[in-house]
Amino acid sequence: MSNRMWGGRYESGPAEIMAEINASIDFDKRLAEQDIRGSVAHAAMLGAAGILPEADAEAIQAGLQTVRDEIRAGSFAFSRELEDIHMNVESRLRDLIGPAAGRLHTARSRNDQVATDMKLWVRDTIDAVDGQIADLMGALAEAALAGAGIVMPGFTHLQSAQPVTFGHHLLAYVEMLARDRGRFSDARARLNECPLGAAALAGTSFPIDRHRTASELGFDRPTANSLDSVADRDFVLEVLAAASICAIHLSRFAEEIVLWTTPQFGFVRLSDAYTTGSSIMPQKRNPDAAELVRGKSGRVVGALQGLLMVLKGLPLAYGKDMQEDKEGAFDALHTLSLSLAATAGMVRDMVPDADAMRRAAGAGYATATDLADWLVRALGLPFRDAHHVTGRIVGLASDRGAGLEELSLDEMQRVEPRITEAVFEVLGVDASVRSRTSYGGTAPDNVRAQARGWLERMRP
């Protein structure tokens, strides 16, 4: 049978496979709160503008509140025959208040309705994700403050490079996440225009007040072009792009946790709460939470790529292809939320092994740059010459199987006679990190100041 809500032209119903591919209620019922919120604002505007009798507008709004209560209580019966959330809500509204429910769709289309619903949902989700990112930043800043004096190896090419502090390393992720918050905030500001009232694609001849509806729904203004209003899914793309970058940041940190928890690194330990055992190897403690965060980033990035492909060849205005904007976005943003929560949990759970980190910090001649810098400062060598001298001294230490600080003064003077006993003051890892006092550097006092600054800025 044809859809009783809008199928007047049709004498028979769709093929079974058509009904299967066309119905979206299985996933777009997630938009129920937003759909009802938009409909309440639309009905109020229609009543205020005199387009609907005030009694009908009030009955519609009261009926919609009842529908919302039923959905929240779990007693609402969703129907696949009605295809989507809009028709499900309107059908139930008709059951509750009678023919007046049919007036709700005056001066709008499902095209502008779904665009509005999706904007409301994305905006709500951005606000929730922003709070989670802030929570993770706070957890990292607290851990950075506690680890400001813990020396660890800093890497380039995953090779030991220079000593840094554990707190400094963690604060790098705070900076990344702060940029993620900025991207979500920018996306939120750009999407905050209301499509409702654009109707199918050309606007409407009814004297509606789109500014009132936009204001009622918390938008800054109505959208300015009716074609763009219903065709636009840039806001979903932009949020998925921000989510993808954030997921990649989480994946990078997760990869470091995976490395740090291996016996070969042994930098941090996670409790049973964030690790699992092996079905055959009783000694194993697998960092599964970190591995899952790392793996789930692919789902988020995949959703962005999928929607880009959906939209790339679509002419204006609305096409049913655009129904494909939802499942990927719902899954990606849920996945990001889950990953943020798991990462914050791991940060609060992990216990650093300061001794293991310090031992590793001195490996691989990590203070070689400190030696080169000392040659520049103390002896006035050009840096390139100091680099060459340092390389020869590192080679000497490597031949001996010794650390730089284990070489004698006499051995170093064979390479550069002007070297004095004072050079040993810069060859330890603690002295190295203390010396990095430039703004943004790894010195413990810098790290403490930065961590406290972040915690102060994020304080409610």
Side-chain angles (χ1 to χ4, degrees):
M1 60 184 246
S2 62
N3 188 309
R4 68 186 176 94
M5 302 297 292
W6 53 265
R9 176 182 173 181
Y10 293 87
E11 296 179 358
S12 63
E16 183 177 349
I17 191 62
M18 177 60 189
E20 184 67 24
I21 197 173
N22 189 51
S24 60
I25 188 59
D26 292 343
F27 54 85
D28 70 15
K29 61 186 177 184
R30 188 177 297 197
L31 298 174
E33 289 279 344
Q34 290 79 17
D35 191 73
I36 291 170
R37 197 190 319 168
S39 291
V40 168
H42 185 66
M45 180 277 296
L46 293 175
I51 297 169
L52 294 189
E54 192 62 36
D56 285 350
E58 291 176 358
I60 289 170
Q61 292 175 76
L64 287 169
Q65 302 297 344
T66 299
V67 175
R68 184 185 65 186
D69 292 343
E70 291 176 353
I71 292 173
R72 287 178 176 178
S75 60
F76 188 93
F78 291 101
S79 168
R80 296 190 92 231
E81 282 189 2
L82 294 170
E83 296 183 6
D84 57 33
I85 186 60
H86 323 301
M87 295 296 99
N88 270 265
V89 169
E90 190 173 330
S91 176
R92 178 57 179 149
L93 182 64
R94 181 180 288 270
D95 293 341
L96 291 170
I97 69 171
R103 299 183 185 277
L104 173 59
H105 212 52
T106 304
R108 76 173 185 185
S109 160
R110 284 192 296 179
N111 295 355
D112 61 334
Q113 188 178 358
V114 71
T116 303
D117 290 0
M118 196 61 180
K119 279 197 171 186
L120 290 170
W121 184 87
V122 168
R123 194 178 68 185
D124 291 344
T125 303
I126 288 174
D127 293 344
V129 165
D130 179 75
Q132 287 191 283
I133 297 175
D135 178 64
L136 176 53
M137 290 172 66
L140 286 164
E142 290 281 7
L145 187 60
I150 298 176
V151 181
M152 68 175 291
F155 300 99
T156 61
H157 309 277
L158 203 56
Q159 302 292 313
S160 184
Q162 292 178 301
V164 296
T165 58
F166 185 53
H168 190 60
H169 196 114
L170 296 179
L171 286 179
Y173 286 98
V174 175
E175 296 289 337
M176 294 182 207
L177 291 164
R179 294 192 295 274
D180 291 328
R181 288 187 80 189
R183 276 181 279 270
F184 279 113
S185 177
D186 290 345
R188 192 190 193 286
R190 257 184 295 281
L191 72 79
N192 210 34
E193 296 181 342
C194 183
L196 204 55
L201 76 163
T204 178
S205 59
F206 289 96
I208 61 174
D209 185 349
R210 293 191 63 208
H211 287 84
R212 175 193 170 113
T213 309
S215 177
E216 181 70 23
L217 293 172
F219 289 104
D220 295 330
R221 63 191 70 84
T223 51
N225 182 285
S226 59
L227 283 168
D228 179 58
S229 300
V230 298
D232 168 36
R233 291 300 183 273
D234 294 4
F235 65 96
V236 185
L237 287 174
E238 189 169 7
V239 169
L240 287 177
S244 295
I245 296 171
C246 185
I248 294 304
H249 288 157
L250 298 182
S251 182
R252 293 182 73 177
F253 184 58
E255 168 67 5
E256 300 212 270
I257 291 176
V258 170
L259 290 173
W260 292 349
T261 54
T262 62
Q264 290 75 17
F265 277 76
F267 289 178
V268 303
R269 180 180 175 85
L270 289 172
S271 76
D272 295 350
Y274 291 92
T275 58
T276 64
S278 165
S279 63
I280 189 172
M281 295 169 285
Q283 83 281 9
K284 294 294 292 299
R285 181 186 288 271
N286 299 322
D288 282 10
E291 291 172 358
L292 287 165
V293 168
R294 185 178 60 185
K296 286 179 182 295
S297 63
R299 290 171 65 168
V300 181
V301 176
L304 170 61
Q305 297 301 320
L307 185 56
L308 284 167
M309 292 303 98
V310 167
L311 296 175
K312 70 177 180 62
L314 292 188
L316 295 179
Y318 181 82
K320 195 72 171 189
D321 320 49
M322 295 168 73
Q323 184 169 292
E324 294 299 308
D325 68 339
K326 295 173 190 63
E327 286 180 281
F330 293 161
D331 180 74
L333 292 170
H334 171 72
T335 298
L336 180 64
S337 174
L338 191 62
S339 297
L340 285 164
T343 305
M346 286 188 289
V347 170
R348 293 188 169 101
D349 182 75
M350 67 183 183
V351 177
D353 187 330
D355 291 338
M357 288 191 195
R358 195 178 189 287
R359 285 193 300 271
Y365 307 104
T367 58
T369 305
D370 297 277
L371 173 55
D373 289 346
W374 183 88
L375 292 170
V376 171
R377 288 195 309 271
L379 304 185
L381 292 182
F383 183 80
R384 290 301 175 198
D385 294 346
H387 188 285
H388 180 73
V389 169
T390 300
R392 290 179 60 196
I393 293 174
V394 168
L396 178 62
S398 179
D399 290 342
R400 270 197 50 196
L404 289 176
E405 70 280 5
E406 295 173 316
L407 292 175
S408 68
L409 178 61
D410 181 63
E411 286 173 309
M412 285 191 276
Q413 286 177 336
R414 290 177 204 163
V415 178
E416 171 50 65
R418 291 177 292 168
I419 294 176
T420 68
E421 192 77 32
V423 73
F424 292 100
E425 296 175 5
V426 303
L427 296 182
V429 293
D430 294 297
S432 175
V433 296
R434 281 198 304 270
S435 72
R436 306 293 172 180
T437 56
S438 59
Y439 182 78
T442 192
D445 286 345
N446 282 17
V447 172
R448 292 185 186 97
Q450 289 279 6
R452 291 188 181 111
W454 276 114
L455 291 169
E456 183 64 31
R457 272 176 276 175
M458 292 185 294
R459 184 172 296 163

